[in-house]
Amino acid sequence: MTRCIAPRASFVVALLATVCALPASAASPVEKGEYLARAADCEACHTAPGGTPFAGGRAFKMPGIGVVYSTNITPDPEHGIGRWSDEDFVRAVREGVSPGWKHLYPAMPYPAYSRMSSDEVKDLRAWLAKVPASQNTPPANELKFPFSVRALMIGWNLLNGPSSSYPDDPNKSAEWNRGRYLVEGPGHCADCHSPRTMTFGLSKDRAFAGELINGLRAYNISPDPKDGIGSWTDEALAQYLSTGHADGHGTASADMAEVVTYSLRHLTPDDIHAMIVYLRDLKPQTSKDAPAPSRQLTNGDATLPQTTKGARLFASVCAGCHLPNGSGRQSPYANIAGARTLSADGGRNLIRIIMSGSTLATADGDQVMPGFAGGNLSQQDLNDIAAFVMTHFTEAKPSTEALNAAAKGP
C-alpha cells in the first residue's frame, strides 16, 4: 500500500528481457510466474530497505492502526514459505488467509490479487520457489487494539473483499479486458490511487480519484482532463509508465518511481497500452490536488532571479541539475517542466522529495534526486526552495502552513 523506499538492485533483471519477449502460450510456468511477480510488484513490498529481496520486513504504517511488516516469501522452510503447499499459497494470495487460519491485513492487496486465477498464482509460487532462500525473520506487527485481533479481518473481508477473477466483458475489446485485469488485479493501482472508506476499504464511488499514502499524494489517475490524466496523450502515458519520465509531465518520484522501477518498466508495450485503454474508460473524477498552470519558460530564460532567498538557494543547490527553464542539465530525467509535483496539493510531494530524495531505475542506470534533509540546509531553507520552485515554474501560491505540515510526514 505504501511505496516509499529507494529502489534496490534486483537479481532477476537480467532474465526479464527473455521472459517479456515470450508469448504467454510459449512461456513455462516459472517464466509466467516471474512476469506476474513483476506485474504484481512483489519485490518492492516484500523487501526491507537494504534487505534481501523477498525476505520481508518492510514496514507499512497505517495512521491510527499501527505498523504491519511484510512477510518473508522466500522458499526458506522455517522463516519463509518453503513448507507451504500450492493450495496454502493460493489461499493466502487470493483470500488473505495463510496457514493456521491466520488472516492477513489489507497491506497485502489480496482483494486485488483475487482477480488472478488459481493457476496464475501457482505459476507465481513456482517462480518464488527459485529465488534465494533467506532466514530473515521480519519484526512482529505493532498494531493497536482491537486491530491486533486478526479475527476482525473476517468481518472486514465480508465488507471489502476479497472478490474473485472475472470473465472478459464481451462488449469490450481484448485490450480493455487485459487492461482491466492488470490495473484492478496484479497491478492493484487502486490501493494507492483510490480513497479509503470508513472501514478502510477502497471507495468505489471515488475510484482512482487520488489518495494520501504515507504522507505523499498518489494523484488522481481518472480520465478527468483537469484533475486526472485526461489531457495526457497515449504516447506520454506510455512513456511515463514504461520509463518513469514523459516530456512535459516530469519524472516519477518516491512511491511512483518505485512502482516503475520494480514493476511497470518490465511489462510489455502491449500490456502498458492495455492499461492505458482501460484507464481512459474509467469514470472521470474531480479532486482538489490539480496542478496549477505552468509558466511558459523558454530556452532564453537562462538566468534565475536572485530576488528571494529561495531563488538564491535554488541557484546554488539545485541548478546543477535543473536549468532555469525546467529542462534537465545533465539528463532528460531531470526535466521538471510540467511536473504535477511542482504545484499540486500545496507542494506536499514537492517538499517531501526535496527532503528525502528519490531514485528511479532506468535502462540508462539509476536516476537519483538527492535528499537534503539533515544536511547543511534548515527546514526553512528547504521550504524557501519549494516556494521558489512553485512560483518560478508554475502559477501556484505556496502556503507556509501546507509546506510545514507536509514536511512533518505522515
Side-chain angles (χ1 to χ4, degrees):
M1 296 189 2
T2 55
R3 297 185 172 100
C4 302
I5 56 175
R8 302 164 296 277
S10 170
F11 66 94
V12 297
V13 170
L15 299 177
L16 285 166
T18 301
V19 175
C20 292
L22 289 171
S25 59
S28 70
V30 171
E31 290 167 332
K32 288 188 287 186
E34 181 179 16
Y35 187 79
L36 191 59
R38 283 298 182 181
D41 208 11
C42 300
E43 182 179 355
C45 289
H46 285 277
T47 310
T52 301
F54 305 102
R58 178 170 181 174
F60 293 89
K61 299 178 181 179
M62 297 179 287
I65 298 176
V67 182
V68 172
Y69 292 92
S70 62
T71 56
N72 182 336
I73 57 172
T74 73
D76 184 85
E78 296 293 334
H79 307 277
I81 60 173
R83 291 180 178 172
W84 289 23
S85 67
D86 283 354
E87 289 69 26
D88 289 335
F89 186 73
V90 169
R91 191 177 188 198
V93 171
R94 299 185 74 243
E95 300 178 33
V97 182
S98 60
W101 200 248
K102 185 178 180 180
H103 285 265
L104 305 180
Y105 291 98
M108 164 67 174
Y110 59 87
Y113 290 166
S114 66
R115 301 299 189 188
M116 298 187 287
S117 70
S118 295
D119 287 342
E120 287 174 320
V121 177
K122 289 178 182 178
D123 290 341
L124 175 58
R125 169 66 190 281
W127 180 73
L128 285 174
K130 303 295 183 181
V131 306
S134 170
Q135 296 182 356
N136 179 57
T137 301
N141 294 333
E142 303 166 8
L143 297 171
K144 299 178 181 179
F145 182 82
F147 306 106
S148 56
V149 180
R150 286 184 180 268
L152 289 178
M153 291 307 301
I154 297 174
W156 189 90
N157 287 339
L158 291 174
L159 291 172
N160 300 296
S163 187
S164 64
S165 54
Y166 37 38
D168 286 351
D169 185 337
N171 297 316
K172 298 291 186 177
S173 68
E175 285 181 315
W176 185 95
N177 281 292
R178 177 64 175 173
R180 178 180 65 168
Y181 165 79
L182 290 166
V183 169
E184 295 192 10
H188 61 282
C189 303
D191 278 71
C192 286
H193 289 280
S194 291
R196 295 276 172 174
T197 65
M198 291 182 63
T199 62
F200 205 66
L202 292 172
S203 171
K204 295 181 180 179
D205 293 337
R206 296 283 294 156
F208 302 100
E211 174 65 317
L212 190 63
I213 299 290
N214 200 28
L216 290 164
R217 179 68 62 182
Y219 294 128
N220 183 335
I221 58 170
S222 79
D224 186 87
K226 177 177 179 291
D227 299 334
I229 57 173
S231 64
W232 290 51
T233 65
D234 285 0
E235 291 74 18
L237 281 170
Q239 184 184 22
Y240 190 87
L241 293 176
S242 59
T243 70
H245 174 82
D247 291 339
H249 299 282
T251 299
S253 57
D255 299 17
M256 193 61 194
E258 186 182 65
V259 175
V260 174
T261 292
Y262 290 111
S263 178
L264 294 176
R265 73 188 183 103
H266 303 295
L267 301 188
T268 63
D270 284 347
D271 276 351
I272 292 293
H273 180 68
M275 294 176 72
I276 294 170
V277 169
Y278 180 69
L279 290 171
R280 292 282 194 212
D281 199 43
L282 292 171
K283 174 186 174 182
Q285 301 279 6
T286 59
S287 56
K288 297 181 180 180
D289 60 349
S294 298
R295 296 191 184 279
Q296 299 302 311
L297 302 174
T298 68
N299 291 331
D301 297 308
T303 59
L304 286 164
Q306 302 294 310
T307 56
T308 66
K309 177 184 175 183
R312 293 191 292 272
L313 287 170
F314 184 94
S316 63
V317 176
C318 310
C321 294
H322 308 293
L323 291 169
N325 65 353
S327 299
R329 185 182 296 276
Q330 303 169 20
S331 167
Y333 287 89
N335 187 329
I336 58 177
R340 186 169 186 162
T341 298
L342 299 189
S343 64
D345 205 22
R348 178 188 297 275
N349 287 14
L350 174 63
I351 189 64
R352 292 288 302 282
I353 298 306
I354 291 174
M355 291 173 60
S356 303
S358 182
T359 302
L360 172 71
T362 76
D364 300 319
D366 287 354
Q367 303 295 322
V368 180
M369 161 70 186
F372 294 94
N376 296 326
L377 300 177
S378 67
Q379 186 60 54
Q380 185 58 55
D381 290 337
L382 301 183
N383 286 4
D384 289 340
I385 292 174
F388 168 73
V389 167
M390 295 178 73
T391 55
H392 177 73
F393 294 105
T394 79
E395 297 179 10
K397 295 181 180 179
S399 165
T400 300
E401 181 180 358
L403 290 174
N404 285 334
K408 294 178 181 179

